[in-house]
Amino acid sequence: MQHPTQHRIVVLGAGYAGAVAAGRLARRLRPQDAAITLVNAEPHFVERVRMHQLATGQELRARPLDEMFAKTGVEVRIAQVTGVDTDRRTVSVTDPDGTGELAYDTLVYALGSAWDPQDVPGAAEHAHEIAGRTGALRLRERLAGLAAGRTVVVVGGGLTGLEAATEIAEARPDLDVTLTARGELGDWLSPKGRRHLRKVFHTLGITARENAAVTAVAADHVVTADGTSVPADVTVWTTGFAVQPLARATTLDVTDTGRIVVDATMRSVSHPDVYAVGDAALAAGPGGKPLRMSCASGVPTAWQAADAVAARLTGAKLPKVTPRYFNQCISLGRSQGLIQYVTADDRAVGAALTGRFAALYKELVCKSAAWGVANPTLGVPTRRRPVAPRTPEPARTV
Ligand SMILES: Cc1cc2nc3c(=O)[nH]c(=O)nc-3n(C[C@H](O)[C@H](O)[C@H](O)COP(=O)(O)OP(=O)(O)OC[C@H]3O[C@@H](n4cnc5c(N)ncnc54)[C@H](O)[C@@H]3O)c2cc1C
């Protein structure tokens, strides 16, 4: 039960960024001062970084949100967010009991992203995706029913494409797996990283079609920019993510692609009572370069937003850390990996870890990211200071 003087914080989305932000806020603010509500469509936390594993038949650990947030003081609300009214400061939600509204004083928007078929003809109809659980399970079923010798084309030579192609080829050596890349295979990696990637592709029998942007997808093939038709019983689309469309329908300042523009504290540049974190936000990293959509950026942006919200409410110092990168951790199946060290703004340096040790390292990174989400308040030092009480407003329908 909320007290009328409590500051109402509503966090939208319980992915890596939203869950971490909610947990950290609970450690930074006294429960009598702030009511924190975390809204998510699914009752479980989805480990998106493991969707290629789910698609190839591996079982993932169930992580129910109500268990994760029990005793944290964060109220979990399982509902679909259907709108945000930044003038009335309300969020519209739908759940099996009907529709409703949640009022907020501070909003943390963390609705993440989904796949992006990019208007390529046939992609939305024929391609599979692994950006979320539903898509990964659909691909899992399709791959399980695929006879030996059939063709799989993974479109996209970025991190997700590399992880998907190697995982599928390792799990199903009887399939004919191709990866199509717009440029050269791993062209952003160090020479050592590229060499290792080619070696793993060779060992797993994956064909790399380089400088081959896909321009159309059909039920049984894809077409590349030079007109070549590549057989594809299954096409897996991994060319990047698109954010959820909700923010675009608000008065928030967003980019052309719908990401909410935020300052160094993850606060919306247009609405001081709104923060955005994770894939949903466009935040500047070192040198002003935008942070890329990733768990590696999402978690630090969540820490930053939670600390900034708490600091502004309690009069503490604002955080001054700019989220930065250290490495790109790429799984290449279960027994191979590649840890590419990078500059603070994400450019590859010469050093890279490869092989089995890199696979273990990547597994550890995934495990610790999930641990941080599943134990949202553990490991976060409690630094609770009193909040200035809110003046109660006339009752609103909520
Ligand atoms: C196969 C794969 C491998 C990846 N590997 C890596 C990696 O190795 N390293 C890395 O850094 N990144 C990786 N990523 C990217 C990473 O998973 C995402 O960048 C990250 O999940 C973004 O976190 P987020 O919290 O912003 O959003 P999400 O994880 O997408 O969470 C958003 C949450 O909001 C909920 N939601 C969305 N819309 C609504 C709505 N309308 N109403 C209610 N709830 C809603 C969703 O259910 C979800 O729980 C990978 C992604 C994929 C798909």
Side-chain angles (χ1 to χ4, degrees):
M1 178 79 177
Q2 279 180 20
H3 190 272
T5 58
Q6 273 179 312
H7 188 88
R8 296 160 301 182
I9 302 178
V10 175
V11 181
L12 303 183
Y16 293 94
V20 166
R24 196 164 174 106
L25 280 162
R27 288 300 260 193
R28 293 281 183 261
L29 297 167
R30 302 188 316 177
Q32 63 269 39
D33 292 336
I36 304 166
T37 307
L38 176 61
V39 189
N40 199 63
E42 298 194 52
H44 293 89
F45 167 65
V46 174
E47 266 185 278
R48 277 183 67 194
V49 302
R50 293 193 191 271
M51 288 301 105
H52 51 302
Q53 294 177 240
L54 187 66
T56 50
Q58 296 166 50
E59 294 310 326
L60 303 186
R61 187 168 161 189
R63 298 182 188 274
L65 290 170
D66 56 356
E67 281 178 21
M68 283 162 50
F69 284 92
K71 301 191 191 128
T72 62
V74 174
E75 187 193 334
V76 173
R77 174 89 190 259
I78 304 306
Q80 184 78 24
V81 178
T82 54
V84 176
D85 185 331
T86 46
D87 299 327
R88 291 176 56 236
R89 290 190 292 162
T90 56
V91 174
S92 311
V93 293
T94 305
D95 65 16
D97 297 331
T99 58
E101 265 188 359
L102 299 170
Y104 66 82
D105 300 303
T106 297
L107 183 74
V108 181
Y109 186 106
L111 291 183
S113 64
W115 75 305
D116 185 7
Q118 293 177 326
D119 295 331
V120 171
E125 296 89 320
H126 301 297
H128 285 260
E129 53 103 358
I130 54 166
R133 198 167 167 274
T134 310
L137 286 175
R138 188 173 152 256
L139 175 60
R140 177 185 172 117
E141 206 182 318
R142 179 78 177 105
L143 288 174
L146 213 55
R150 292 297 187 172
T151 49
V152 177
V153 172
V154 176
V155 180
L159 299 173
T160 311
L162 298 181
E163 293 199 329
T166 49
E167 200 77 40
I168 294 169
E170 185 189 74
R172 290 291 308 272
D174 56 328
L175 297 177
D176 180 352
V177 180
T178 295
L179 177 135
T180 63
R182 201 181 276 280
E184 285 183 12
L185 188 65
D187 52 12
W188 74 94
L189 298 167
S190 63
K192 181 179 177 186
R194 281 202 295 271
R195 272 197 306 278
H196 185 67
L197 193 57
R198 286 196 187 274
K199 193 169 128 198
V200 173
F201 265 51
H202 177 73
T203 309
L204 292 174
I206 304 168
T207 306
R209 283 185 173 266
E210 299 171 277
N211 303 306
V214 168
T215 52
V217 182
D220 58 358
H221 68 279
V222 300
V223 180
T224 57
D226 63 359
T228 308
S229 170
V230 184
D233 294 305
V234 174
T235 300
V236 185
W237 198 262
T238 68
T239 60
F241 304 132
V243 293
Q244 306 292 345
L246 272 180
R248 213 193 270 272
T250 66
T251 53
L252 288 164
D253 196 347
V254 297
T255 63
D256 294 352
T257 55
R259 295 172 88 184
I260 298 173
V261 185
V262 294
D263 66 14
T265 64
M266 306 302 138
R267 191 187 214 180
S268 154
V269 294
S270 57
H271 292 64
D273 47 5
V274 177
Y275 290 72
V277 293
D279 288 1
L282 183 85
K289 195 170 148 188
L291 296 174
R292 76 181 142 89
M293 288 192 198
S294 63
C295 185
S297 334
V299 171
T301 63
W303 294 336
Q304 188 90 332
D307 289 354
V309 169
R312 287 196 171 104
L313 288 175
T314 61
K317 273 196 186 146
L318 280 174
K320 280 215 171 113
V321 194
T322 304
R324 59 151 296 169
Y325 297 99
F326 296 94
N327 51 35
Q328 294 177 4
C329 302
I330 313 168
S331 69
L332 301 171
R334 290 303 87 204
S335 59
Q336 285 290 325
L338 171 57
I339 311 299
Q340 175 62 62
Y341 292 97
V342 296
T343 55
D345 66 351
D346 211 24
R347 285 171 293 122
V349 297
L353 271 183
T354 58
R356 190 167 285 276
F357 185 69
L360 287 173
Y361 186 106
K362 166 78 197 223
E363 177 57 24
L364 198 67
V365 168
C366 292
K367 275 205 169 101
S368 51
W371 187 90
V373 173
N375 299 280
T377 55
L378 289 183
V380 183
T382 314
R383 249 184 265 138
R384 291 180 176 134
R385 296 161 57 127
V387 169
R390 190 174 65 85
T391 313
E393 285 174 24
R396 263 196 285 212
T397 314
V398 173

